[in-house]
């Protein structure tokens, strides 16, 4: 058994921002870094691709079919044309505002994997669920349903990211206690290892990252936990200085693993 170290992963989720091409160009140029994945809005994918030399590109959503009569949707196959490597799936804002269900998310996860995109599956509980003591139950149920179509396809699952994003911490400035986030991360790895043993056993194949009001002041408190293997950053990723600081801090941490590779 080897002790292997790998980098923490920082993912910028720009959501539906910024507004103009000028702002997109300026921000992308400033924050370009080999340890950063940038997920811009879909219409700006090719613009960001042209501006970056080091960062990797991610999308914020895909549809589950590759092509056809699905007005307004964009497929995994299409975004691959832009050199996209990652895709966020099941973000709580999509679950809430677009009515995305776990069944839809499961199909999107399958589409991503079949198209060799690395899914960033977002899971997390509401404040009511947490207060009622049901955070673990909610997360388990989300993972079970969202992964239901890939569980039998072990060979398909080469790389997978789960973002633990407690809904009450997203965009609120109220971040989850790092120790508590680390506990939930352990729980998530345990749950997934029951579903897809080979995936969860390899830390390079499954990464669990934290999201929810991450900024340059608190990122170090999260990344010092080995279980927290990176961060999904929303609001702070739109401020060049902030995200650059976050990436810089992330470089001084690593994930060490005694697991088999
Ligand atoms: P936030 O968003 O950093 O603005 O809280 C995180 C996310 O929703 O991915």
């Amino acid at each position: 058994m080897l002790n292997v170290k790998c980098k923490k992963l920082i993912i910028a989720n720009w959501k539906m921002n910024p507004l103009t091409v000028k702002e997109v160009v300026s921000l992308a140029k400033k924050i370009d870094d080999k340890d950063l994945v940038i997920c811009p809005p879909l219409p700006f994918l090719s613009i960001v691709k042209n501006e970056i030399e080091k960062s990797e590109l991610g999308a914020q959503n895909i549809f589950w079919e590759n092509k056809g009569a699905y007005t307004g949707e964009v497929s995994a196959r299409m975004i691959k044309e832009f050199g996209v490597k990652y895709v966020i799936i099941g973000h709580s804002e999509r679950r809430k505002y677009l009515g995305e269900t776990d069944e839809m998310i499961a199909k999107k996860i399958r589409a991503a994997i079949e198209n060799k995109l690395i899914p960033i599956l977002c899971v997390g509980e509401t404040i009511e669920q947490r207060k009622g003591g049901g955070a673990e139950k909610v997360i388990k149920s989300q993972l079970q349903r969202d992964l239901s179509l890939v569980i039998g396809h072990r060979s398909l699952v080469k790389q997978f990211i789960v973002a633990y994003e407690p809904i009450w911490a997203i965009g609120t400035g109220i971040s989850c206690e790092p120790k508590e986030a680390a506990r939930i991360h352990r729980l998530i790895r345990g749950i997934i290892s029951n579903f897809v043993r080979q995936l969860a056993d390899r830390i390079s194949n499954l990464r669990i990252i934290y999201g929810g009001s991450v900024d340059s002041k608190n990122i170090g408190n999260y990344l010092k936990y080995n279980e927290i293997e990176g961060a999904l950053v929303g609001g702070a990723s739109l401020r060049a200085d902030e995200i650059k600081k976050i990436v810089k801090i992330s470089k001084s941490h690593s994930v060490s693993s005694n697991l088999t590779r």
Side-chain angles (χ1 to χ4, degrees):
M1 204 171 275
L2 286 172
N3 183 298
V4 187
K5 286 195 185 304
C6 61
K7 285 180 182 167
K8 304 269 181 176
L9 185 65
I10 304 295
I11 302 177
N13 174 15
W14 285 0
K15 309 194 179 185
M16 204 168 72
N17 303 288
L19 266 187
T20 65
V21 170
K22 200 172 156 204
E23 289 169 285
V24 168
V25 168
S26 152
L27 183 59
K29 262 196 187 125
K30 284 185 196 153
I31 68 176
D32 189 21
D33 192 291
K34 66 177 173 43
D35 295 324
L36 178 69
V37 177
I38 305 176
C39 303
L42 289 173
F44 296 144
L45 276 178
S46 65
I47 294 163
V48 173
K49 183 174 164 40
N50 287 338
E51 296 306 325
I52 55 177
E53 285 170 8
K54 298 176 245 166
S55 288
E56 307 254 37
L57 208 49
Q60 298 174 18
N61 178 41
I62 46 165
F63 189 60
W64 56 78
E65 297 291 344
N66 270 336
K67 62 182 273 204
Y70 303 102
T71 303
E73 293 299 329
V74 175
S75 74
R77 180 70 191 76
M78 287 170 178
I79 60 164
K80 287 275 285 187
E81 291 287 306
F82 297 94
V84 169
K85 199 170 158 192
Y86 297 83
V87 60
I88 298 173
I89 296 178
H91 191 283
S92 62
E93 286 153 9
R94 295 196 59 83
R95 293 181 192 250
K96 180 176 171 191
Y97 300 119
L98 283 301
E100 264 190 23
T101 62
D102 288 308
E103 288 66 32
M104 290 154 90
I105 291 162
K107 289 198 260 181
K108 292 182 180 202
I109 296 280
R110 183 175 58 190
I113 289 172
E114 285 177 353
N115 282 283
K116 299 194 166 44
L117 288 167
I118 302 171
I120 305 161
L121 169 64
C122 300
V123 297
E125 78 287 355
T126 63
I127 194 67
E128 292 75 23
Q129 289 163 334
R130 172 159 282 261
K131 281 183 180 157
E136 293 82 354
K137 206 169 134 216
V138 171
I139 291 162
K140 186 170 182 189
S141 151
Q142 286 175 335
L143 289 170
Q144 206 155 19
R145 290 155 180 253
D146 299 346
L147 293 173
S148 61
L149 299 177
V150 293
I151 285 171
H153 296 253
R154 281 186 192 175
S155 60
L156 287 176
V157 183
K158 290 267 183 333
Q159 256 189 302
F160 202 90
I161 299 168
V162 175
Y164 170 52
E165 296 210 309
I167 294 170
W168 46 274
I170 298 176
T172 56
I174 308 164
S175 53
C176 179
E177 269 293 309
K179 195 170 169 207
E180 171 60 6
R183 183 184 75 85
I184 300 281
H185 283 221
R186 273 194 301 281
L187 179 94
I188 292 174
R189 189 168 287 278
I191 293 169
I192 294 185
S193 86
N194 283 332
F195 300 157
V196 199
R197 176 104 230 158
Q198 283 164 324
L199 173 64
D201 272 359
R202 292 168 185 257
I203 212 152
S204 58
N205 289 14
L206 173 67
R207 255 173 198 280
I208 304 166
I209 65 176
Y210 170 77
S213 296
V214 168
D215 59 25
S216 64
K217 291 195 182 71
N218 61 26
I219 184 75
N221 298 335
Y222 289 103
L223 297 186
K224 73 177 188 210
Y225 285 91
N226 201 46
E227 294 91 337
I228 304 183
E229 295 150 350
L232 182 55
V233 187
S237 74
L238 294 163
R239 300 194 298 277
D241 288 353
E242 261 300 283
I243 189 71
K244 280 169 78 170
K245 270 191 220 162
I246 291 171
V247 172
K248 192 168 170 216
I249 294 167
S250 81
K251 288 177 197 280
S252 61
H253 294 80
S254 60
V255 186
S256 74
S257 145
N258 282 316
L259 300 168
T260 46
R261 311 289 298 173

